[in-house]
Amino acid sequence: MIAKVFSATVIGVDAYLIEIEVSITGTATAGFKENSISIVGLPDTAVKESRDRIYSAFISSQFIPPRGFTVVNLAPADLRKEGAAFDLGIALGILGATGEVDIARLGRIAALGELGLDGSVRPVKGALPIAARLAADRSVSALLVPQANAREAALATGGNLPVFAVNTLTEAAALVNQGHGVPVKATLESLPDPESRCDFDEVKGQLQARRALEIAAAGAHNSLLIGPPGTGKSMLAMRLPGILPPMTLAETLETSRIYSVLGLLSGNNPLMNSRPFRSPHHTISDAGLIGGGKDPRPGEISMAHNGVLFLDELPEFKRNVLEVLRQPLEDGVVTVSRASGSCSFPARFMLCAAMNPCPCGRGAVELGCKCKTEEKRRYLKKLSGPLLDRIDLRVPVRQLSESELLKAPDGESSATIRQRVCAAREIQQKRYEKFGFFCNSQLSPKALQQFCALPASGEKLLKDAINHFKLSPRAYTRILKVARTIADLAASPEITEEHLFESISYRKGELE
């Protein structure tokens, strides 16, 4: 008798349906030991080790281990299977082949879960993309998952596939035999509110920097904060996610899929419903930043998807690490290729970087800077021109005066700034709803010509800026995009000379 049950595996951030077939013969065949289990279908070490976990779980759960020779086939056979998520499905398949569970009902069920030696079912990575894939495929009528993965799986299915939480192998077998149970119900309304962010009303002074970050948030632009140590660059960057618009359902599911694959979701927080803020250390490797490994996994830039990636002390990052940012900054996706294949990870994030103006950090003689001109030049050359071209706003963060330091913060709150940002984003979404993108930073060349037309005075101003600053074509287009965002914040249908002048002022910064 052959028993069948479904499961799934994750490659990159995409889930693939796996059919588990179990056949038990009465006696061992030539070359195989009696009472042994053979797992075929490109299993990795963790999958092969499931034989021992299943055997112990059977004993602890009062099930009789299979007699004779058992073959477990994971189909399709040419797709590599990784991890312990197949444990529960294989165990139920064996119980179906031995007659312990209803084989007809089993064939319409998918199961995920790692088995403990005591028969308990432990959580696994990737339950969210797997549940979404199974709900879309409609090959199964029910999904069994560990209790800790139940809410994220139920949210991913959107009610299109019943999800049942199980704590033990005994519960899973009983659920298959009974053919009914209480499915897990979860809605977005039941999620906890996003955690509170740091507020801009805690920042003293820095009016220009706060204005620049508001523009960055309104148009999803990349920014670079330049100033001496202790002036509040990191403080400002940490408050940037708090003025971004709330995540849409699609953004929540996209971001949560990445965190699910990495095993970073919990039962209490089954979805990432607040925009991520990632701040890797400057010693990070290129694989840690963009993703990789023998079996590619998402890196920091994918974990910042739909949020903010903050790189503090930008020139201290290795040159090769920074250069790998160039493709995802343009495309919003990163492709990692290995001998076993390639994986594409979503990586549409806002880059916010910070750096000192010179090696000593002071940047000016009056502040005690003693760096020589050649030392400053070498320091700035750590950042390539093509990377800097992809940063829309270069923002000076100055040293505060004594009066500003002693005075209590009196700036606007993040909630107030966020209202203006959301209003500007709504304008952009309506304008670009037929173009397949939603904010000014994503403007295509054709849309740029249509929506960023300049008056005659603006064209002259931009022409002078191109000649004076020796701007590249990419820098030219980014000035127009930022100007369009400034106009949207002012609710202006046209880009005026004033908007363009402010945009150009953020291009030079303190790098020249």
Side-chain angles (χ1 to χ4, degrees):
M1 179 183 295
I2 297 178
K4 296 182 180 180
V5 63
F6 288 97
S7 189
T9 189
V10 175
I11 300 177
V13 292
D14 298 317
Y16 297 87
L17 189 66
I18 301 297
E19 185 177 16
I20 301 174
E21 300 175 307
V22 179
S23 173
I24 301 177
T25 59
T27 58
T29 58
F32 296 98
K33 296 180 180 179
E34 191 174 359
N35 300 335
S36 65
I37 300 176
S38 175
I39 302 177
V40 297
L42 285 183
D44 71 349
T45 302
V47 179
K48 292 178 180 178
E49 289 175 346
S50 65
R51 295 174 296 194
D52 300 321
R53 292 191 294 271
I54 290 171
Y55 183 87
S56 180
F58 271 34
I59 299 299
S60 300
S61 304
Q62 308 299 314
F63 290 119
I64 300 175
R67 303 294 182 183
F69 177 55
T70 302
V71 178
V72 178
N73 180 42
L74 307 178
D78 60 346
L79 195 65
R80 185 168 177 78
K81 321 303 186 303
E82 302 172 358
F86 300 103
D87 286 7
L88 182 60
I90 293 174
L92 290 174
I94 293 174
L95 291 175
T98 58
E100 294 280 356
V101 300
D102 188 301
I103 195 171
R105 292 195 181 111
L106 186 63
R108 300 191 299 272
I109 288 176
L112 300 173
E114 175 185 344
L115 286 179
L117 300 184
D118 58 352
S120 61
V121 181
R122 296 172 175 168
V124 295
K125 299 177 181 179
L128 190 147
I130 288 174
R133 171 72 173 81
L134 292 173
D137 188 86
R138 300 184 181 275
S139 297
V140 299
S141 58
L143 172 61
L144 308 186
V145 297
Q147 181 70 51
N149 296 125
R151 291 187 69 197
E152 64 175 288
L155 286 165
T157 62
N160 295 323
L161 177 68
V163 176
F164 298 92
V166 293
N167 293 297
T168 64
L169 177 59
T170 303
E171 283 185 21
L175 187 61
V176 174
N177 281 329
Q178 292 167 3
H180 61 82
V182 179
V184 177
K185 292 185 178 180
T187 61
L188 292 176
E189 289 75 17
S190 66
L191 294 177
D193 293 331
E195 60 185 40
S196 60
R197 299 283 190 180
C198 304
D199 203 291
F200 265 97
D201 62 9
E202 301 166 337
V203 179
K204 296 182 179 181
Q206 306 299 357
L207 294 178
Q208 182 181 10
R210 285 190 286 184
R211 166 65 174 173
L213 291 183
E214 179 180 340
I215 295 170
H221 300 290
N222 303 318
S223 56
L224 173 60
L225 305 175
I226 310 165
T231 51
K233 300 187 295 294
S234 299
M235 184 180 188
L236 287 162
M238 290 174 64
R239 283 151 180 77
L240 181 54
I243 63 173
L244 293 175
M247 295 181 74
T248 64
L249 175 59
E251 289 175 331
T252 297
L253 293 176
E254 283 179 357
T255 307
S256 299
R257 182 174 61 160
I258 297 166
Y259 281 74
S260 177
V261 168
L262 295 171
L264 298 177
L265 297 180
S266 65
N268 295 328
N269 293 288
L271 288 183
M272 284 287 296
N273 60 332
S274 61
R275 296 194 180 274
F277 178 84
R278 303 298 302 180
S279 180
H281 193 261
H282 61 77
T283 56
I284 192 172
S285 65
D286 53 356
L289 188 64
I290 69 167
K294 180 182 177 182
D295 301 308
R297 289 289 183 268
E300 288 287 339
I301 64 173
S302 293
M303 296 174 71
H305 183 58
N306 290 319
V308 177
L309 176 70
F310 177 52
L311 301 183
D312 198 8
E313 305 295 343
L314 187 65
E316 302 304 323
F317 285 79
K318 297 176 183 177
R319 180 74 173 254
N320 66 301
V321 172
L322 292 179
E323 292 307 301
V324 300
L325 288 173
R326 288 159 60 174
Q327 178 210 350
L329 282 175
E330 291 289 336
D331 303 335
V333 66
V334 59
T335 301
V336 179
S337 298
R338 294 292 182 267
S340 58
S342 63
C343 294
S344 293
F345 304 121
R348 189 168 297 283
F349 57 90
M350 284 178 56
L351 174 64
C352 181
M355 63 177 287
N356 298 327
C358 64
C360 77
R362 295 178 177 88
V365 176
E366 57 270 22
L367 296 177
C369 177
K370 297 181 180 180
C371 296
K372 297 179 181 179
T373 302
E374 185 58 31
E375 290 175 332
K376 292 183 178 181
R377 187 177 293 112
R378 284 199 301 267
Y379 179 73
L380 296 178
K381 277 192 173 181
K382 292 181 179 181
L383 306 176
S384 70
L387 177 63
L388 290 174
D389 258 357
R390 289 167 168 81
I391 297 178
D392 305 338
L393 299 100
R394 302 174 187 177
V395 187
V397 183
R398 60 181 180 82
Q399 191 79 43
L400 296 181
S401 65
E402 293 179 1
S403 60
E404 288 175 317
L405 285 173
L406 294 174
K407 185 175 63 174
D410 58 355
E412 293 179 306
S413 67
S414 292
T416 302
I417 300 172
R418 191 185 201 186
Q419 289 179 352
R420 295 197 296 266
V421 169
C422 290
R425 286 286 187 103
E426 288 178 5
I427 292 173
Q428 294 167 50
Q429 288 175 351
K430 291 179 181 178
R431 181 192 299 139
Y432 306 135
E433 59 183 357
K434 297 180 180 179
F435 289 82
F437 49 85
F438 58 88
C439 60
N440 290 327
S441 65
Q442 301 171 347
L443 273 167
S444 65
K446 185 176 181 180
L448 192 75
Q449 293 179 354
Q450 180 176 350
F451 298 111
C452 296
L454 299 175
S457 58
E459 289 182 356
K460 183 180 183 306
L461 176 61
L462 188 53
K463 181 179 179 180
D464 292 342
I466 292 172
N467 293 330
H468 182 75
F469 297 122
K470 308 300 180 185
L471 298 177
S472 68
R474 180 182 289 114
Y476 160 78
T477 60
R478 289 181 180 267
I479 285 175
L480 287 178
K481 292 177 182 180
V482 172
R484 180 67 266 174
T485 299
I486 296 171
D488 290 338
L489 281 169
S492 172
E494 305 294 336
I495 298 176
T496 67
E497 187 176 350
E498 181 183 357
H499 303 145
L500 192 59
F501 185 83
E502 184 178 4
S503 177
I504 294 172
S505 71
Y506 291 120
R507 194 68 206 173
K508 181 176 174 59
E510 296 185 1
L511 292 178
E512 303 296 339

